[in-house]
């Protein structure tokens, strides 16, 4: 599934539930051609070096185990060290975000 696919790549879903303003910036043509950038939906690539010193959770309002207990820097560290826990924690977060998305829909 999509949340697990992103987790394996080291990407965390991180979006507000106000999609109207976010989706307006992505044209239908780009979506059909698959040319839009996932970062427009605020997905975080925790592999980026800039995450090395980020001492905040992936998402400030998320109540998942990962956001409640770990920082972006720690998840980045796990990814750099190729620890399996990185994928597990990101999966927990991404599934929690998916659940919130469908609750709001």
């Amino acid at each position: 599934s999509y949340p697990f696919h992103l987790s394996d790549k080291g990407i965390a879903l991180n979006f507000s539930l106000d999609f109207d303003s976010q989706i307006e910036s992505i044209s239908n043509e780009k979506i059909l051609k698959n040319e839009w950038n996932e970062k427009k939906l605020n997905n975080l690539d925790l592999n980026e070096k800039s995450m090395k010193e980020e001492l905040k959770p992936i998402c400030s309002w998320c109540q998942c185990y990962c956001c409640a207990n770990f920082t972006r820097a720690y998840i980045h560290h796990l990814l750099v060290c190729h620890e399996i826990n990185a994928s597990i924690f990101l999966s927990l977060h991404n599934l929690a975000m998916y659940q919130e998305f469908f609750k709001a829909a």
Side-chain angles (χ1 to χ4, degrees):
S1 74
Y2 187 63
F4 292 115
H5 173 71
L6 291 179
S7 300
D8 288 341
K9 292 170 69 174
I11 297 174
L13 289 170
N14 186 26
F15 46 72
S16 71
L17 296 178
D18 178 23
F19 287 109
D20 293 335
S21 63
Q22 292 176 356
I23 296 299
E24 284 176 10
S25 67
I26 304 170
S27 73
N28 286 336
E29 292 170 13
K30 286 186 177 184
I31 291 172
L32 291 174
K33 293 179 183 176
N34 202 21
E35 294 175 352
W36 62 287
N37 185 345
E38 287 181 345
K39 289 189 177 190
K40 295 229 182 213
L41 296 178
N42 297 324
N43 291 348
L44 289 175
D45 185 351
L46 294 167
N47 293 297
E48 292 179 3
K49 288 185 181 183
S50 62
M51 295 294 157
K52 184 177 182 178
E53 297 180 15
E54 287 281 334
L55 299 177
K56 54 187 173 185
I58 294 171
C59 179
S60 60
W61 59 267
C62 183
Q63 301 290 321
C64 76
Y65 181 80
C66 181
C67 290
N69 293 288
F70 307 115
T71 64
R72 294 175 182 185
Y74 180 65
I75 302 299
H76 170 80
H77 163 75
L78 293 175
L79 287 166
V80 168
C81 294
H82 304 286
E83 284 284 335
I84 188 104
N85 285 342
S87 181
I88 293 169
F89 295 148
L90 282 173
S91 293
L92 290 172
H93 170 76
N94 288 345
L95 287 170
M97 293 298 283
Y98 241 46
Q99 183 178 12
E100 289 301 317
F101 171 78
F102 286 109
K103 266 200 251 181

